Amino acid sequence: MRAGVWGLGRVVALEEPGRWGGLVDVPEQPSKDSVGRLVEVLAGGAGDEDQLAVRGGTVLGRRLVPARRRDGGGEWVPSGTVLITGGLGALGARVARWVVERGAERVVLVSRRGIEAAGAVELRAGLRSSGAVVDVVACDVGVREEVEALFARFEVSAVVHAAGVLDDGVVDGLTADRLAGVWGPKAGAAWNLHHASRGRELDAFVLFSSAAGVWGGAGQGAYAAANAALDG
């Protein structure tokens, strides 16, 4: 979850460029070489690079590169019961329709308000008309006990985490409570889902992140932190 610090730091760079120094990741147990290279970095030896990792006697710069397809990896074919957090939002509803079209027999749509959420009844009816069994469940996925109760109730074959909360504001106005309010439904919920699903044979465990966690977004310090943690 320390990756969240980097997400927040990237937003500080955008909002406070005059006070920005950079981000440096160091080993948990630094060696003499890594300490020496860190001193060089702090003394300005990294040039224009402002997001670095020190590993032994090497300094690495951060780069965004295309992901490679894993050998032998194919597309996920949904089946069984797919649990979707944020299942009544725009992303969750799109995923629900997608997995049903591709063979999922059952979907569990999770949101804080459950069936009381706007559009929940219509979405459930539409998915049922496609032949799927549909459950709409009220659950705060930021609370571990509620997530564990979900997994005790359903035999889940795949998890899609699309829940999230926005509470935009500049870093100077960010409080611990506001950060927690965004972190919990996104990064905290992912951790809860991870723990609740351990020991189960899942076909897929999918996390919806955001570009805000990769290169920041002015006014989105909490959101960038939570999504960077998800990427990590």
Side-chain angles (χ1 to χ4, degrees):
M1 293 301 182
R2 286 173 292 183
V5 176
W6 278 65
L8 179 60
R10 292 173 196 132
V11 175
V12 175
L14 296 173
E15 293 182 3
E16 301 285 350
R19 295 196 289 174
W20 173 247
L23 293 163
V24 184
D25 183 72
V26 297
E28 290 188 22
Q29 298 181 351
S31 64
K32 183 177 180 180
D33 286 342
S34 62
V35 171
R37 295 313 303 271
L38 176 60
V39 170
E40 292 177 13
V41 168
L42 296 178
D48 294 333
E49 299 286 346
D50 63 357
Q51 296 182 46
L52 301 163
V54 177
R55 295 292 182 267
T58 303
V59 178
L60 305 172
R62 182 170 177 264
R63 295 292 184 270
L64 185 65
V65 298
R68 295 179 179 177
R69 180 183 291 273
R70 295 181 179 178
D71 293 338
E75 290 189 3
W76 167 44
V77 179
S79 63
T81 299
V82 180
L83 186 149
I84 305 171
T85 71
L88 302 177
L91 288 175
R94 179 72 177 268
V95 171
R97 296 186 185 100
W98 185 88
V99 298
V100 168
E101 288 171 0
R102 282 157 181 78
E105 292 88 5
R106 185 175 195 173
V107 289
V108 179
L109 306 179
V110 180
S111 77
R112 287 184 176 182
R113 295 185 60 199
I115 199 64
E116 300 299 323
V121 173
E122 292 81 3
L123 177 60
R124 182 178 63 180
L127 294 171
R128 285 178 173 174
S129 69
S130 298
V133 177
V134 184
D135 296 274
V136 179
V137 181
C139 172
D140 184 348
V141 288
V143 178
R144 181 176 294 188
E145 292 77 13
E146 294 192 29
V147 174
E148 289 173 347
L150 266 181
F151 279 82
R153 179 179 172 186
F154 299 102
E155 287 295 329
V156 177
S157 57
V159 173
V160 179
H161 179 36
V165 171
L166 282 173
D167 183 13
D168 291 351
V170 296
V171 171
D172 274 349
L174 189 62
T175 64
D177 286 342
R178 291 184 67 184
L179 178 59
V182 176
W183 181 277
K186 179 67 73 171
W191 196 243
N192 293 339
L193 291 163
H194 160 66
H195 277 281
S197 62
R198 284 191 303 180
R200 294 175 180 251
E201 292 293 331
L202 297 180
D203 298 329
F205 189 95
V206 182
L207 307 176
F208 270 72
S209 183
S210 167
V214 178
W215 48 66
Q220 291 195 310
Y223 192 65
N227 283 284
L230 221 60
D231 292 337

